[in-house]
Amino acid sequence: MNIKIRDFFKNKLWLPPVILALLLRIYKLTSSSIWHDEGYTMWLLKYDYFEIISRTARDVHPPGYYLLTKPWVQIFGTSEFSVRFLSLLFSVGIVFLVYKIIKDIWSEKAAFWASTFVALSPFMVRFGQEARMYGVVAFFTTLATYYFVRFIKTKNTKYLLFYVPSMLVAMYTQYYAFFVIISHWVILGIFSKGFFELRWRTTIKEKVSVFSSKWWLANVALLLGYAPWFPVAYAQVTRVSDSYWIKPEWITERTIPGNVLNFAFYNHLDPIYYWSQGLGKFLYWLIALILILGGVLIFKNKKRLKTALSLYVFGFLPMVLVFIVSKIASPIYQDRYFPFSAVAVLAIWGVTISEIKKKRLRYIFSGLIIGILLFGNYLMHKEVNHQMRALTQVVKLQSQEGDLLVSGELYTHLDGSYYLGYGNLYFMSEPVDGFGETSLYYDQQENYLLKKPKVTEYKRVWLIGKSGKDYWANEVWDDYQSATYFENAGLRATLYTKN
């Protein structure tokens, strides 16, 4: 019996990582409440397809994820489990695709370790559990990369017929997919004979190269397919360059290393960096550089130098390009925008393990990485602990008929409304411009916004918000007595009763 099981898995080495990915992503899938960004998703999904597109146009992301999710929720509903489970399915699919790609470009052993590390990564688990676009864009960029790899290896241009729609979906899901296309161009240049030596006559003669007419046609098809959204994208990028929530001071020499640490630990290791002054910084940079440069071992395989370089290009070029843009133009670098980079970096670690010849050393280092990733899962679940569900349960239990429910800020309004009902929780605010998250109700502000003077007309007012904010001491409450019924994980709910 044991021999049969062993033989079964021996011929299906992709299956254990896929099963592991499924288990890790379904574990605690709904333990954390819907948070602000997911609250935007849930609210937007109330609208029809046309409204989703028009309202997304006033936000900062393209509409692809929401358009994919809309038919799903029409069938399965908008429960926390249902909407997050769709992200889970895409995230598990990434693990299988990584196995297929790495097996194709390196070896079956490398594919096993690479897909296992992608399955285990707390970064990939986290965004495979969230009702947002990050797991989805990672899936479609990885799918497009699979067809791109097949195009290079087989020199068969039929794979471009699948590459184009896969990449188009990714582009309509998240703008950073464009940086993946740039990576593909660079990688194709690496595999184009004579290209970087400027022997372009040789390059042109190659069937698969950066000068391939079919490759250019595929990219023209991408541009044409995206043409309807380009004016909207331009308007969104212009708004972001004028004002965005990411601060310039957040972009430092630790930005990219911290992102790589996040792939492994779901933590930037700030306590280590600031510990014991110089020693802490030394340890921090040592860990970061090992994770970034430890993979150079794969360059020892002389037969696969181009493949090794391509993995590093795919993993790090998008992060480097966005970092440069963030330093010289507008700060747009955010860790969670790079799930496709995480896929490549984790694959590099997997390939590196497979290249260790001594079995004992291979087991030691693979065990070390697995231990780090499991510890990262522990840290991730400890940090991802939004408590809006618990807060709203307390409010529902303690509130009376005629009570007014208000949110002190937008960042507790969207997720609070998901649990309390749309229109039952008001946002205490002046009129909004209707861009960003307020695109959800820019044309219905009277139904969801309430000015401060209007709030004082009520005898009992529940204020929901984040702990430590100014609105708890606002002059609005001068004639009220307060009693806090909930305060946990940075959230607070207080009942104000007029004297």
Side-chain angles (χ1 to χ4, degrees), residues 209-224:
S209 75
V210 290
F211 295 121
S212 166
S213 60
K214 298 292 178 62
W215 171 247
W216 278 79
L217 282 173
N219 282 265
V220 169
L222 290 177
L223 291 175
L224 291 175

Side-chain angles (χ1 to χ4, degrees), residues 192-394:
S192 297
K193 192 174 182 181
F195 178 71
F196 287 111
E197 294 89 348
L198 302 182
R199 292 187 287 108
W200 290 355
R201 287 185 179 179
T202 303
T203 309
I204 291 170
K205 294 177 182 178
E206 292 289 305
K207 185 176 181 181
V208 173
S209 75
V210 290
F211 295 121
S212 166
S213 60
K214 298 292 178 62
W215 171 247
W216 278 79
L217 282 173
N219 282 265
V220 169
L222 290 177
L223 291 175
L224 291 175
Y226 210 73
W229 192 253
F230 269 124
V232 177
Y234 176 77
Q236 289 180 327
V237 170
T238 303
R239 285 199 302 272
V240 166
S241 63
D242 291 338
S243 174
Y244 199 42
W245 63 273
I246 299 174
K247 306 299 182 186
E249 57 268 25
W250 297 352
I251 314 300
T252 69
E253 71 279 357
R254 290 179 58 203
T255 296
I256 293 176
N259 206 350
V260 176
L261 290 170
N262 221 4
F263 298 158
F265 293 98
Y266 199 76
N267 192 290
H268 291 152
L269 302 188
D270 288 343
I272 292 178
Y273 184 82
Y274 293 109
W275 172 70
S276 188
Q277 297 180 349
L279 180 59
K281 291 182 180 179
F282 172 78
L283 288 174
Y284 170 88
W285 283 109
L286 180 64
I287 296 169
L289 290 175
I290 287 174
L291 291 179
I292 294 171
L293 300 177
V296 297
L297 178 64
I298 64 179
F299 287 93
K300 289 182 66 177
N301 190 325
K302 302 301 183 184
K303 295 179 180 179
R304 296 192 177 94
L305 287 177
K306 291 182 178 181
T307 304
L309 181 58
S310 298
L311 282 170
Y312 264 90
V313 166
F314 192 90
F316 288 94
L317 183 60
M319 291 191 286
V320 170
L321 291 175
V322 176
F323 178 83
I324 292 170
V325 171
S326 297
K327 293 300 286 185
I328 66 176
S330 180
I332 57 172
Y333 196 108
Q334 173 57 225
D335 284 13
R336 64 176 177 266
Y337 295 168
F338 296 96
F340 38 81
S341 291
V343 168
V345 171
L346 292 159
I348 289 171
W349 299 346
V351 172
T352 302
I353 292 296
S354 74
E355 287 295 299
I356 299 174
K357 304 303 180 185
K358 292 185 178 180
K359 185 181 291 187
R360 181 176 294 180
L361 280 178
R362 188 163 67 245
Y363 287 157
I364 289 172
F365 283 107
S366 62
L368 180 62
I369 294 175
I370 289 170
I372 288 172
L373 297 176
L374 288 174
F375 179 62
N377 274 270
Y378 164 76
L379 294 177
M380 182 268 290
H381 285 300
K382 189 176 179 181
E383 180 178 330
V384 181
N385 184 35
H386 196 53
Q387 292 293 312
M388 184 58 76
R389 186 195 310 119
L391 181 151
T392 54
Q393 286 173 349
V394 170

Side-chain angles (χ1 to χ4, degrees), residues 412-423:
T412 50
H413 184 221
L414 304 187
D415 47 340
S417 295
Y418 172 76
Y419 290 105
L420 291 169
Y422 300 103

